[in-house]
Amino acid sequence: MDLQLFLLPFFFLSLVNAQLRFNFYNSTCPNAESIIKSAVTNRSNTDPSITAALLRMHFHDCFVRGCDASILIDSTTKHKSEKDAGANQSVRGFELIDEVKTALEKECSNIVSCADIVTIATRDAIALSGGPAYAVPTGRRDGRTSNPNEVNLPGPTLSVLQAFSFFQAKGFTLKEMVTLLGAHTVGVAHCLFFRDRLFNFRGTQKPDPSMDPDLVSKLQRQCGRNNLPIATDPTAFLDQNTNSTVDNEFYNQVLKGKGILLIDHNLGADNSTVGFVKQFGGDANGFLQDFKAVMVKMGSLNVLVGNAGEIRKNCRVFNATPKPSKGK
Ligand code: HEM
Ligand SMILES: *[C@@H]1O[C@H](CO)[C@@H](O)[C@H](O)[C@H]1NC(C)=O
Ligand SMILES: *[C@@H]1O[C@H](CO)[C@@H](O)[C@H](O)[C@H]1NC(C)=O
Ligand SMILES: *[C@@H]1O[C@H](CO)[C@@H](O)[C@H](O)[C@H]1NC(C)=O
Ligand SMILES: *[C@@H]1O[C@H](CO)[C@@H](O)[C@H](O)[C@H]1NC(C)=O
Ligand SMILES: *[C@@H]1O[C@H](CO)[C@@H](O)[C@H](O)[C@H]1NC(C)=O
């Protein structure tokens, strides 16, 4: 037999092994998923906003280099990390990931990646906030790069078309982008990201006429006219009706002129996306089904598998590089 033909099955076998799969830790760390769930449940009981924190962390991780935990790396004086990009993205929840990692290192050292922790914790938080429960394939490895210059995420004032260029580049359809933005069904935005809509929309010295006037008044009071540093800037819920529940209500709010970020409003105003917004707004279960599928897809973006990358011991720092052996 031809050598290439003979090797072909082995080649495919190695490909099959080098990918995400369900229950990846079932023999190496069988309690991994239950330990993660327990920590997320504990936190969620006292702080329901953890769901929003994790969802955004997962998005910002996956959209930069792929879901490789590059977002978790702390900056050092020598090496700035993704956390140093922009207003360091106001991503939060890192201490929960640390807590889980510590518990997992005790249970089974060097086995469970930080990238999988973020993915599983996000999945668990969604289910604890009224969202769908779903299985996620695992086996992600942690990356060895985290560079603020690589952070290129969409901004809140983009048009639908501009935002779509980011999502299309990652392999998402327009409908999938609308589905992913349904994550704005939970969590908050700092006023600095939408204050112009309240006081001076497009230089008019007037509020955005497309925002519900009662909401404009409420947010004007809540935010104040002047920009503040992000640490002291007030925040507002992204979903005005069910602020901490993973549901389709975000879309109905958008259709009522109650989208907070301009991009959220634009989804309901743009001909190319308003149909999806109406569809999800009218179909609670349909949204949840599509949302879980798109979350699994996002969680699979450019993952490191097999022997790539590493399993970090501390999610905030790369493992020490083994010193090259001396003598030669
Ligand atoms: C065009 C795409 C997107 C834009 C422009 C955008 C923009 C923003 C902005 C400006 C904030 C407020 C941040 C702050 O004030 O600290 C925010 C919050 C949030 N975003 Fe997005 N986002 C986008 C897509 C997504 C996606 C795909 C997800 C998840 C799948 C997501 C999840 C969240 C969550 C959960 C929050 C609330 C965070 C919290 O409460 O801490 N976003 N987003
Ligand atoms: C782990 O899962 C794989 C595939 O799902 C299965 O073949 C294997 O028997 C399981 N191992 C344990 C220890 O449950
Ligand atoms: C969650 O809380 C329970 C009850 O207080 C505790 O037994 C458990 O160890 C906690 N889990 C984690 C992972 O912190
Ligand atoms: C963001 O920067 C502020 C100020 O430099 C710092 O206090 C905060 O811890 C940083 N956040 C993250 C997540 O690194
Ligand atoms: C957030 O949601 C909770 C629960 O539905 C509700 O009691 C609370 O009033 C909401 N907060 C705001 C500011 O809308
Ligand atoms: C959007 O659709 C409306 C109604 O069908 C139409 O009047 C309008 O011209 C369309 N706008 C664009 C930019 O296609």
Side-chain angles (χ1 to χ4, degrees):
M1 190 158 87
D2 177 280
L3 182 66
Q4 275 187 344
L5 274 181
F6 175 76
L7 287 175
L8 208 59
F10 296 98
F11 173 69
F12 279 115
L13 202 66
S14 66
L15 272 188
V16 167
N17 284 335
Q19 65 183 19
L20 302 181
R21 57 185 165 85
F22 295 105
N23 294 318
F24 182 83
Y25 299 110
N26 69 348
S27 58
T28 52
C29 192
N31 294 325
E33 294 208 18
S34 64
I35 289 170
I36 298 171
K37 186 174 187 174
S38 156
V40 175
T41 306
N42 287 0
R43 175 71 180 263
S44 174
N45 286 337
T46 53
D47 174 17
S49 86
I50 193 64
T51 303
L54 290 169
L55 256 166
R56 185 153 178 257
M57 184 194 291
H58 193 31
F59 167 49
H60 283 215
D61 186 28
C62 296
F63 262 64
V64 178
R65 301 186 60 84
C67 315
D68 66 347
S70 54
I71 182 121
L72 302 182
I73 294 293
D74 277 346
S75 285
T76 63
T77 40
K78 263 191 177 168
H79 297 284
K80 300 293 168 214
S81 72
E82 288 178 20
K83 283 179 184 173
D84 250 292
N88 72 17
Q89 309 175 342
S90 55
V91 175
R92 56 198 184 86
F94 298 113
E95 71 297 329
L96 175 65
I97 304 301
D98 294 337
E99 190 191 307
V100 169
K101 182 65 177 173
T102 304
L104 287 175
E105 286 302 293
K106 260 188 211 146
E107 171 80 10
C108 45
S109 181
N110 290 326
I111 301 290
V112 185
S113 68
C114 300
D116 274 344
I117 294 173
V118 173
T119 309
I120 296 167
T122 303
R123 181 274 309 270
D124 291 341
I126 289 170
L128 288 164
S129 298
Y134 54 95
V136 281
T138 42
R140 291 167 192 75
R141 310 257 307 169
D142 299 324
R144 302 238 344 130
T145 304
S146 179
N147 181 345
N149 300 326
E150 288 183 347
V151 177
N152 180 26
L153 290 158
T157 60
L158 297 185
S159 69
V160 164
L161 201 62
Q162 288 167 329
F164 185 49
S165 70
F166 286 82
F167 287 81
Q168 197 172 31
K170 303 284 181 192
F172 292 101
T173 65
L174 191 60
K175 185 178 185 186
E176 285 173 330
M177 177 178 90
V178 175
T179 315
L180 274 172
L181 270 156
H184 289 173
T185 180
V186 290
V188 296
H190 290 84
C191 295
L192 71 94
F193 292 114
F194 58 86
R195 194 176 266 108
D196 58 330
R197 297 188 72 203
L198 308 176
F199 294 103
N200 185 15
F201 186 61
R202 301 200 163 126
T204 57
Q205 303 294 327
K206 292 200 179 90
D208 183 342
S210 66
M211 189 187 276
D212 175 89
D214 291 338
L215 181 60
V216 168
S217 310
K218 181 187 154 193
L219 293 178
Q220 281 179 337
R221 272 178 273 128
Q222 203 168 323
C223 289
R225 184 178 284 273
N226 300 316
N227 277 331
L228 294 165
I230 193 161
T232 50
D233 197 34
T235 60
F237 286 116
L238 289 165
D239 177 341
Q240 287 298 302
N241 191 27
T242 54
N243 56 59
S244 302
T245 310
V246 175
D247 60 11
N248 65 333
E249 190 50 26
F250 165 76
Y251 299 102
N252 292 320
Q253 295 296 305
V254 161
L255 292 171
K256 289 177 180 162
K258 294 184 180 181
I260 303 292
L261 302 176
L262 189 58
I263 181 62
D264 296 348
H265 170 75
N266 287 344
L267 294 179
D270 192 290
N271 279 3
S272 68
T273 44
V274 63
F276 301 132
V277 173
K278 286 182 176 160
Q279 184 192 329
F280 286 138
D283 184 2
N285 191 50
F287 166 65
L288 295 181
Q289 294 305 315
D290 283 10
F291 189 64
K292 67 183 182 187
V294 84
M295 285 304 295
V296 170
K297 181 168 175 177
M298 186 176 85
S300 306
L301 283 177
N302 301 324
V303 290
L304 300 171
V305 289
N307 296 318
E310 64 185 15
I311 303 296
R312 263 178 233 154
K313 285 185 198 310
N314 174 345
C315 292
R316 292 175 183 266
V317 289
F318 302 120
N319 293 345
T321 322
K323 288 210 175 90
S325 57
K326 285 184 183 174
K328 281 202 186 169

